[in-house]
Amino acid sequence: MSEHTPDVPVSDLPGPLRLRVAPSPTGDPHVGTAYMSLFNLAFVRQQGGRFLLRIEDTDRARFREDSEQQVFDTLRWLGLTWDEGPDVGGPCAPYRQSERLTSYQPYVERLLAAGHAYHCWCSTERLAAMREEQQRLKQPTGYDRMCLGRTEAERAQLPGFSPTPVVRMLVPDDVELQFDDLIRGRVSAPRPDDQVILKADGFPTYHLAVVVDDHEMGITHVVRGEEWISSTPKHVLLYRWLGLTPPAFAHMPLLRNTNKSKISKRKNPEARLTWFEEEGYLPEALVNFLGLLAYPPAQDAEGNDVELFTFEEFSQRFDWSQVNPVGPIFDLKKLDWLNGVHIRELAPEDFAARILPFLQRAGVLGADPTLGELGRLKEVAALIQTRIAHLTEAAELVAPFYVADDAVEVADDARAQLGENAAQVLDAATAALTEVPDEHEGVLGSEPTWRAEAIETALRTAVVEGLGIKPKLAFGPLRTAVSGRRVSPPLFESMEILGKGATLTRLATLRATL
């Protein structure tokens, strides 16, 4: 055990298994954070362990204050919730590295005292020139140990001196470069150089902080991207030097574009985790999609792939040995398909509630809609639920139901497709629909007759049969009059929701422009 120990001994921390995700708040959260969280959490929930969220904010140059809250919000939106973390507390608090600075210094002192680390006073300019020369000579890049074995006074007599030193690991020549991986089996990594573990500003680098924090938080399994394979020998070395038990390692394959390049926030908007909510994806669809990346789907009794599943179903069958180490392709077309399927499976009330924020954002509804507006939304939502793949698509379909009947804005493409007989169609439809009684015209106590079936019968009789126009062409002008669009929710059901008076007003309004 180290000289600095957590308030709770590692052996007494809750949970037989303890896993963590540790994003850096340097901008919008990366979709990889959700990807890693899903696989961590699936294993944790299966095994009855604990899932921790730790914020690794030692990179102060790239730190963004709003990024941490975005991590909280997006992971909660996905339902990937944690048992311990900065916002919920826990026995290993604090869970932000910037609040744990006193934790790292004792470990650094031990490494220095044991000869496993040393001070380095080389300036950034000197290190840059050294790397440039190594590259010119096509030599392996890495620190040349100019400061090793020298005192500060001795080093100050040489070029490229900086008065504020860093601390470096002294990596031995016989460092073990192989380790066991839960996904990949026995893995070999390249030889590391003398990595900086404490920066000149007193902040630890990732390599020291991750080892100390994972130890003090009792982490039993470290699940991270394959880009960290090359760093694992350094971490195992630090564990051994400090007399600590290393965790099990699982290095997940990186998410890749269709051209096999690494998905990045700089080039790919979908790399931003906030993008998916903005674009109208359901959280359960995104979780489902991420669960299909690097992991085979379940199979039914006939041996067919079952690609739709919940987090709980994914967790129940999870096995590290089934993770495919080859980087999966991030196929947005597949996600769009999944999203559409999940949208169609929502209960109607749930679907209406899901599209409401998007309607408010688009100005279709206000911040405090009336009961009447919400009642109409429930009816309209039932018409469009099978017609959209993103929740963002709802606004255009729903908007015509919330405008004044004499102010429906007709889209250019909808007006352009009106045929020469549009006026004749509108006149015939108006005459036919005028004869269809609504609930206010029926006999007291009788069923109202302004229903989609009655509306369709009247219109087919008047327009299709009466005017001899094919059904495919007969109702285009009516659709344009009612919605202002070429593509709209089902016509007869839309007229039923709008009501007789509103429908006739809309037909008359378009007719007046022809």
Side-chain angles (χ1 to χ4, degrees):
M1 185 66 69
S2 67
E3 295 173 3
H4 177 93
T5 56
D7 294 336
V8 180
V10 170
S11 59
D12 293 340
L13 292 172
L17 300 176
R18 294 173 61 81
L19 281 76
R20 52 75 173 170
V21 67
S24 299
T26 55
D28 286 0
H30 194 282
V31 67
T33 298
Y35 170 61
M36 295 299 167
S37 297
L38 172 62
F39 282 76
N40 271 282
L41 193 59
F43 183 58
V44 161
R45 296 295 178 246
Q46 180 194 83
Q47 300 293 322
R50 302 270 286 185
F51 182 49
L52 284 66
L53 173 62
R54 186 172 70 227
I55 299 296
E56 299 194 342
D57 57 350
T58 57
D59 187 348
R60 306 310 289 179
R62 298 172 60 215
F63 172 78
R64 240 181 61 183
E65 192 168 349
D66 61 334
S67 182
E68 180 181 294
Q69 189 60 48
Q70 287 181 329
V71 170
F72 298 158
D73 293 344
T74 50
L75 290 183
R76 281 206 172 92
W77 173 67
L78 289 168
L80 303 176
T81 53
W82 47 100
D83 304 302
E84 302 172 27
D87 57 334
V88 298
C92 300
Y95 292 89
R96 294 182 186 89
Q97 284 187 338
S98 61
E99 297 173 2
R100 300 176 58 82
L101 295 184
T102 56
S103 301
Y104 309 115
Q105 193 61 41
Y107 292 91
V108 175
E109 297 300 332
R110 287 180 60 192
L111 293 170
L112 287 167
H116 295 309
Y118 60 95
H119 287 102
C120 173
W121 291 272
C122 289
S123 65
T124 54
E125 294 78 11
R126 195 251 156 192
L127 294 173
M130 175 198 72
R131 282 190 293 270
E132 186 177 329
E133 180 66 9
Q134 289 171 339
Q135 291 169 351
R136 187 183 70 81
L137 298 175
K138 297 183 179 180
Q139 297 174 342
T141 56
Y143 184 59
D144 59 5
R145 294 182 171 173
M146 174 181 276
C147 295
L148 179 61
R150 289 190 165 96
T151 65
E152 180 177 4
E154 290 170 341
R155 178 61 184 84
Q157 302 304 311
L158 300 174
F161 174 79
S162 172
T164 308
V166 300
V167 176
R168 292 182 181 273
M169 298 173 61
L170 178 55
V171 177
D173 294 336
D174 61 349
V175 58
E176 177 59 60
L177 299 177
Q178 292 189 330
F179 62 92
D180 292 319
D181 188 282
L182 293 172
I183 296 172
R184 301 161 188 273
R186 194 70 175 165
V187 175
S188 294
R191 188 186 187 284
D193 71 336
D194 288 2
Q195 178 68 49
V196 174
I197 57 174
L198 190 71
K199 294 180 284 189
D201 61 5
F203 277 73
T205 62
Y206 170 82
H207 303 285
L208 176 69
V210 74
V211 168
V212 172
D213 290 341
D214 283 345
H215 164 66
E216 296 201 346
M217 295 181 181
I219 300 303
T220 58
H221 297 69
V222 167
V223 183
R224 57 191 179 188
E226 65 179 289
E227 70 268 31
W228 295 108
I229 287 177
S230 61
S231 296
T232 304
K234 308 171 195 175
H235 302 164
V236 173
L237 195 58
L238 287 170
Y239 277 107
R240 179 159 63 82
W241 283 344
L242 294 167
L244 310 176
T245 301
F249 291 99
H251 288 90
M252 294 288 295
L254 294 180
L255 303 179
R256 301 194 181 279
N257 296 302
T258 52
N259 64 1
K260 305 297 178 68
S261 63
K262 178 182 175 182
I263 188 169
S264 70
K265 290 190 292 184
R266 187 170 59 85
K267 296 181 179 179
N268 309 96
E270 65 271 20
R272 295 188 300 109
L273 196 47
T274 53
W275 181 83
F276 296 93
E277 187 172 8
E278 294 166 1
E279 292 297 310
Y281 289 99
L282 297 183
E284 53 266 54
L286 181 54
V287 167
N288 189 164
F289 175 70
L290 293 174
L292 286 170
L293 298 177
Y295 204 84
Q299 293 191 324
D300 61 19
E302 287 75 38
N304 301 309
D305 288 346
V306 179
E307 295 192 313
L308 263 71
F309 48 79
T310 64
F311 168 79
E312 289 73 20
E313 291 168 337
F314 180 69
S315 178
Q316 287 170 5
R317 66 184 183 89
F318 185 76
D319 186 336
W320 289 114
S321 68
Q322 295 299 305
V323 178
N324 187 340
V326 178
I329 300 300
F330 202 89
D331 184 359
L332 282 178
K333 290 181 180 179
K334 183 63 170 285
L335 175 56
D336 288 343
W337 173 78
L338 281 169
N339 203 55
V341 174
H342 279 276
I343 284 176
R344 292 189 288 276
E345 290 192 343
L346 293 175
E349 297 82 0
D350 189 8
F351 175 67
R354 303 276 191 122
I355 63 175
L356 179 57
F358 293 89
L359 301 178
Q360 292 171 320
R361 187 184 307 167
V364 175
L365 287 172
D368 190 19
T370 66
L371 289 176
E373 289 174 329
L374 292 175
R376 172 167 285 193
L377 175 59
K378 183 178 177 182
E379 293 181 292
V380 176
L383 298 186
I384 70 169
Q385 187 167 357
T386 61
R387 293 171 172 252
I388 66 174
H390 294 183
L391 298 182
T392 49
E393 298 168 4
E396 184 172 359
L397 294 172
V398 173
F401 291 89
Y402 292 94
V403 298
D405 298 315
D406 59 356
V408 176
E409 184 176 341
V410 178
D412 291 341
D413 63 339
R415 187 175 293 278
Q417 60 89 41
L418 291 173
E420 293 180 356
N421 59 2
Q424 189 181 12
V425 169
L426 290 168
D427 289 340
T430 299
L433 293 177
T434 300
E435 298 302 317
V436 179
D438 67 12
E439 56 266 44
H440 302 296
E441 299 171 340
V443 178
L444 185 64
S446 66
E447 286 295 318
T449 53
W450 184 262
R451 290 289 181 265
E453 297 82 1
I455 294 168
E456 181 178 3
T457 298
L459 290 176
R460 287 189 180 278
T461 300
V463 179
V464 178
E465 298 172 13
L467 299 180
I469 301 175
K470 294 180 179 179
K472 184 177 180 181
L473 304 174
F475 303 122
L478 306 182
R479 189 180 304 281
T480 299
V482 167
S483 69
R485 305 286 190 271
R486 288 187 63 184
V487 179
S488 71
L491 176 61
F492 312 120
E493 288 80 358
S494 296
M495 288 179 168
E496 178 183 328
I497 291 171
L498 288 169
K500 181 176 180 178
T503 298
L504 291 174
T505 298
R506 293 183 182 217
L507 297 184
T509 300
L510 180 60
R511 177 65 180 86
T513 69
L514 301 179

